[in-house]
Structures are given as structure tokens and as C-alpha cells.
Amino acid sequence: MAGRTEPKAEFVVDFPTLWVVADWIERHCPVPDGFRAGQDLQLYPWQLWCTVNHYRVRPEARPGQLAPAFYYRRSQIVAPQKTGKGPWSATVVLAEACGPVVFAGWALGGERFICADHGCGCGWWYQYEPGEPMGVPWPTPLIQLTATSEDQVANVYRPLKAMVRKGPLQERMRVGEEFARIGEDGQIDVVTASAMSRLGNPIIFAMQDESGLYTAVNKLRKVAETQRRGVAGMGGRSMETTNAWDPSEDSVAQTTSQSKRRDVFKYHPQAPKSLSFGDKRQRRKIYRFVYAGSAHVDLDAIEAESAEIMEKDPAQAERFFGNRCVAGTASWLDGQKWAKKARRRRVRPMTRIVLGFDGSDMDDWTAIRAETMDGFQFTPLYGSNDEPTIWNPADYGGQVPRAEVRAAFRQLFHRYDVVRLYADPPYWDTEIDELVDEYGEERVIRWYTRRMVQMHAAAERLKTDVVKRNAGDASRAAAFTHDGCELTQSHIENARQAERPSGLYVLRKASPPQKIDVAVASVLAHEALGDVIAAGLAEADVSYYYGT
């Protein structure tokens, strides 16, 4: 039986990849369960896309290279529940165990991968096209399959065992409850939080299932990092699969997603943020987007399960079935509602505005947000390169560039008609004193965010103006919009309500790495606007002068 020579896909692949791996999977990994158990498996389009990307080969790859032959050092797959992540992950593990996943040079044309040459009696072979990358199996594969618990790891290991027992791999592998033997010398080990003694082995592949649950608290962050170091030392690679994570938990999945490394393949389908998961009709549109290509999924069943979970934990339902990384119920402001207020708009020079400033020195960020008199909030730009007025100290050697911040303030006061600046003074007393001296104490006001009553009220006002919008409402709440700044969106989503016995709350971070400083600057800017309007200062004074 020959393998396919032309890619059968619903997408265009314009890069070299080990197509032989995808064909090998479909020949050696039968459907593990259900009414079609034991029948030939056909990869869904999204599964095929992730497979060919994980095995994408660099055009300059040379025979003898291991991991460096591939375009991606590792992969992250983020998909909602019931899409088929577990069975597909099992096929990738089995391919790493017995399939042609090691780059073996470029075909001249006519070369074949023949299963019989590698101890498999299924009779299958694959013929390469000229210029196609070729593959061979690992000689002594040692693989680790990782999850938070035995129940969790079963999502991958259970279909893996079924595929072996129902297909041609039963001749080459023996599967037990905690590990599988590959020929004479290879092995697949199961690693959980209670079985870390297996770490440190010379593994060639690690499948990290549900990495959105790997944190420093359960010690699985250390496990994931240890595995990746071990894989790198053997010239192997790794893969993460997960549901969308809670951004308040600082998980391995979140760290991978936020990494700027180009050698990590990331697959995370997401519906437009403007679609609300709280609305049943819009929720259906989200399902159709994130479950596209998973033909077995019944969206009615997904909706029924999701609706039940939403009664107690809406954020969990949105993560599991909407594939969105949203925080738990302690969130301060619904990130989706904030996103829906985004508008495109140009703010012209000398527009009348207010500013909000939250400053730090080394650990947290420093930010300036602005708002027009009609309620459009934006991150102003400064400098000859139009940089956003948001400073991450990590980008400046660990300390906020104070000279740049001072220059940005002066540029903003020169470019716009700044009616009022609310600035949180800690760490920036000297700079704020300079601004007061230069622009006056009626325009530059020290606004301490540590005042619980005032800060609670200000946070509530912005939250109310974002969330509430009634038809025909001409109030400031109805008018509020913003520029869609991605950093502001992130900081808004990171903010949590820390309740106090008084019934008030303060804003805190979801976790130490997740900053909220731009969100605080937004609160101060919006509060400044409210006070300016209340004081009757929203309209510029008109002076009539007649003379010669």
C-alpha cells in the first residue's frame, strides 16, 4: 500500500515538511473508540495543519541534523474540549515512537520509506517526490507523556493503548498501565505530579498535556522545563496541548503563548473578541469558529454542557468551550465588554483632553492614558518614532527611563490642550513637582491610588461606563469608547477585585507577572474627565476681544 504523493488538505502548504509522518499516522493509528473503533483514521484539517507544521523542515537542513533540521523547536496547540486533542496527541506520540520523524535528507525522487525495513510487517510504504524531505524512526526512542494526574494523562494514554492494540503497532509495542515498551530498547513513560522520579532521563520527545494547568504551585512548571532541557540535550523536540488557561494562574501554557520566540509553532483559533460568550446566539458563532474541522462535535451537546457550567463559573465555560483565556470570577472588568468599546479614531492636535498617570520604577510598568471630552480614551504617542506612552522596565535594562517619561509629558502638554492630569505620586514626586511648577496645580493634581474609598469609586465608575450602555442613552457611559490598545486590554484583563471587610475593593494583579498599571492609568484618566465635566471645564473658554 503506497502513501499519498499529493497533499490532501484544505489549505496550501508552501514549505517542506515530512508528509510521510501524516501518512504514517493514518496508516498505523486506527480510530481508538466509538462506533468506528479499529477503522482507518483520517486526520481532521486542523490536526493535519498542526502535524505538517510540527514536522516542517528548514530548507537548509542537512542529513544528520536532529532538532535543528526542523523549523520549529516545539509546538503549542490550544483547542477547546472535545475537539480531538487527546487522540491526535496519541498519534504524534506513536509517530515519535515508531514513525519516520527524524530528518534523513532530501529525496532525488523515487526513494521509499518501507515499513518492513524498520521491523513493521504491515506492508505499507511511502514514495517520496523529488526534493521532498525524507524521514527515519528514532533508533532507541525514550518518550515522556506528562499530565497533572493519572486521570488527566488517560486522555492521551487511553487512546494510545487502543490504537496500538487495534492496529499494526501491536507487533512492535507492548502497552501497560504506566508505560509502553517500544521494541527492545524504547519506552513511553507516563509522568505526573506524583511520579517525578522519571525526570532526567535522556528523552527524545515530551508530550505535555494540559500545560495550562502546569504552575509553580503544583511543581509542574519545573517538570516541563526539566523535560525541555532533557529533550534539547538529545536533539529531540516537545509539544504542549491544552485548553485555554486562566491568566491569573501564571501557567506554562501562558508563558509559552507570550514568548516571542519564532521557533515555537502556536495554534490557538479564537473567534473575534467582539462576540460575547454570555449571549447564546453569539456563543454559537464562537463554537462554529473554534470547533471548525472537528466533524464529530455536536454543537448542541457543547451548548448544553457549557450552559450548565456557566450557571456557576462562566469563565470556566468560556475557557473550556470558547477557547478564550479569561480569568475567574474575581475579575474586575469583563475583557470582552471592554473590547467591544474599541473604535478607530484620530485625535487631532490641540484637542481638549485629560491624562491619567500610574508610575513605577523597576518592578511594575509606567503608563499614561488620555481621554477626550466626549469620552474617547487612548494611549498617546510620543517621540519622533511615535512610541506609546507605556514603559516596561524590562525593555530598558530593568528601570523605567525617567528622562523619556518627562519628555513625553512635555510633548503631550505641547501637542494637546491638557485640562487636567491625575498622577499617582509614589516614586515620581520630583517629576510631578516639576509638572506642577510648569503647568500649574489646577492642571496637574496628585491623585493617590492608595486611598481605598476614592479608588474604589473611580474603578467602579469606569467599570460602569464600560459595562452599561442603554439604547437612547446620551450619558457619558453610553459615549465611552477607546482605541483598542492591546497592552491596555491585557492589563484590564489582569486586574482583580480584592474585596475588603468594608465592602469596598482595591485592584490587584492576578499574579505577580501580570501587570495592571495601564488599567490604573485608564481609571485615573476617566476619573479626571468626570471631575472636569462636573466642574464645568469640558468646554474651552471663549474670549471676545475687540481692539486695534
Side-chain angles (χ1 to χ4, degrees):
M1 178 184 291
R4 95 173 77 100
T5 56
E6 293 296 330
K8 59 167 187 177
E10 296 180 8
F11 44 80
V12 175
V13 176
D14 58 356
F15 49 80
T17 183
L18 291 178
W19 277 106
V20 63
V21 176
D23 277 34
W24 184 95
I25 284 173
E26 293 188 344
R27 177 62 183 88
H28 292 82
C29 303
V31 176
D33 50 31
F35 292 106
R36 295 184 56 244
Q39 297 181 20
D40 289 345
L41 177 145
Q42 183 174 344
L43 294 171
Y44 288 148
W46 74 264
Q47 294 171 332
L48 185 58
W49 176 247
C50 294
T51 302
V52 298
N53 272 280
H54 185 72
Y55 293 102
R56 178 178 178 178
V57 178
R58 293 183 179 278
E60 68 275 15
R62 302 186 308 274
Q65 288 184 311
L66 298 175
F70 292 94
Y71 194 86
Y72 295 111
R73 178 171 47 89
R74 60 191 185 97
S75 297
Q76 181 188 59
I77 314 303
V78 185
Q81 283 197 328
K82 310 304 181 185
T83 48
K85 291 195 305 296
W88 175 72
S89 298
T91 70
V92 174
V93 172
L94 291 174
E96 290 287 333
C98 301
V101 297
V102 178
F103 176 67
W106 301 93
L108 298 176
E111 296 95 331
R112 292 184 177 184
F113 175 83
I114 302 174
C115 273
D117 293 343
H118 303 280
C120 179
C122 71
W124 184 79
W125 52 270
Y126 178 98
Q127 183 165 319
Y128 295 105
E129 293 293 306
E132 186 178 357
M134 300 182 292
V136 294
W138 286 97
T140 53
L142 183 56
I143 297 167
Q144 288 183 345
L145 173 55
T146 314
T148 55
S149 65
E150 285 76 9
D151 288 342
Q152 183 66 53
V153 82
N155 288 336
V156 178
Y157 196 57
R158 184 173 52 245
L160 183 151
K161 290 189 294 184
M163 288 174 179
V164 172
R165 290 168 178 165
K166 291 178 170 65
L169 292 178
Q170 60 182 314
E171 298 178 2
R172 300 192 60 194
M173 297 179 62
R174 291 168 291 165
V175 290
E177 292 305 313
E178 294 186 357
F179 64 90
R181 294 287 186 191
I182 308 165
E184 296 298 324
D185 301 308
Q187 186 164 309
I188 300 172
D189 280 329
V190 171
V191 177
T192 65
S194 60
M196 296 186 186
S197 60
R198 294 170 180 164
L199 292 179
N201 292 331
I203 59 176
I204 56 91
F205 184 74
M207 173 62 74
Q208 298 170 344
D209 186 48
E210 284 306 328
S211 59
L213 302 177
Y214 297 8
T215 66
V217 175
N218 60 24
K219 300 182 180 179
L220 283 171
R221 174 176 286 279
K222 182 178 180 181
V223 170
E225 292 169 351
T226 301
Q227 285 180 326
R228 290 205 294 266
R229 288 196 300 271
V231 163
M234 296 301 295
R237 298 187 298 150
S238 63
M239 181 179 290
E240 295 177 32
T241 60
T242 186
N243 292 125
W245 54 89
D246 185 334
S248 68
E249 295 178 351
D250 190 27
S251 65
V252 166
Q254 180 171 340
T255 302
T256 298
S257 177
Q258 293 175 345
S259 171
K260 296 180 181 179
R261 297 287 305 180
R262 294 185 177 181
D263 58 355
V264 179
F265 171 68
K266 300 172 186 177
Y267 175 77
H268 186 173
Q270 298 182 75
K273 288 187 176 181
S274 58
L275 293 175
S276 171
F277 200 78
D279 182 282
K280 185 175 180 179
R281 290 186 178 180
Q282 295 185 49
R283 197 157 64 232
R284 193 77 174 200
K285 294 180 181 179
I286 295 172
Y287 296 152
R288 284 197 289 267
F289 191 95
V290 300
Y291 284 97
S294 293
H296 69 283
V297 174
D298 185 328
L299 296 186
D300 290 332
I302 293 296
E303 168 57 24
E305 186 69 21
S306 179
E308 183 176 352
I309 294 177
M310 286 189 70
E311 293 177 359
K312 293 184 178 180
D313 192 345
Q316 183 186 102
E318 191 165 1
R319 289 195 300 272
F320 283 179
F321 301 110
N323 213 31
R324 288 174 167 174
C325 299
V326 294
T329 55
S331 297
W332 163 57
L333 202 160
D334 187 328
Q336 305 306 318
K337 289 185 171 62
W338 175 267
K340 290 181 71 172
K341 292 282 189 173
R343 301 289 186 274
R344 279 184 168 274
R345 177 173 168 182
R346 179 190 174 195
V347 181
R348 297 181 179 278
M350 297 315 298
T351 297
R352 205 164 173 81
I353 66 170
V354 295
L355 300 174
F357 172 71
D358 185 52
S360 183
D361 186 31
M362 293 184 293
D363 296 328
D364 293 321
W365 293 22
T366 291
I368 304 171
R369 287 281 283 175
E371 195 163 339
T372 63
M373 295 299 108
D374 59 350
F376 176 74
Q377 192 174 105
F378 63 102
T379 298
L381 306 176
Y382 78 99
S384 58
N385 295 324
D386 284 341
E387 298 290 334
T389 52
I390 299 173
W391 296 268
N392 177 0
D395 296 335
Y396 299 89
Q399 192 162 22
V400 173
R402 290 176 177 269
E404 283 192 24
V405 177
R406 287 196 296 268
F409 268 124
R410 289 185 171 85
Q411 191 175 71
L412 295 180
F413 272 87
H414 178 75
R415 179 183 298 169
Y416 301 104
D417 180 8
V418 179
V419 184
R420 185 164 294 180
L421 160 65
Y422 276 175
D424 192 20
Y427 305 108
W428 292 82
D429 295 279
T430 300
E431 288 82 1
I432 293 173
D433 286 344
E434 293 173 356
L435 291 172
V436 170
D437 291 342
E438 191 166 351
Y439 301 108
E441 60 183 10
E442 293 184 356
R443 297 175 73 189
V444 180
I445 296 176
R446 299 172 182 84
W447 206 100
Y448 289 89
T449 58
R450 64 172 179 250
R451 298 175 299 163
M452 184 181 299
V453 173
Q454 290 83 357
M455 187 60 187
H456 168 87
E460 275 294 286
R461 273 188 280 272
L462 177 57
K463 180 179 179 179
T464 298
D465 285 359
V466 169
V467 171
K468 293 184 178 180
R469 182 173 184 177
N470 301 317
D473 186 355
S475 69
R476 187 159 54 94
F480 179 83
T481 55
H482 62 79
D483 60 344
C485 169
E486 292 183 2
L487 290 174
T488 306
Q489 176 83 36
S490 174
H491 285 220
I492 289 286
E493 293 175 347
N494 289 342
R496 299 289 179 274
Q497 291 183 189
E499 303 289 344
R500 295 293 183 260
S502 62
L504 305 179
Y505 65 79
V506 295
L507 297 182
R508 63 171 178 83
K509 306 170 191 173
S511 65
Q514 295 174 281
K515 306 305 181 182
I516 64 171
D517 309 282
V518 190
V520 173
S522 289
V523 171
L524 295 184
H526 198 62
E527 187 70 0
L529 176 61
D531 290 346
V532 163
I533 292 174
L537 301 175
E539 299 295 332
D541 292 333
V542 178
S543 176
Y544 298 96
Y545 174 75
Y546 301 93
T548 59

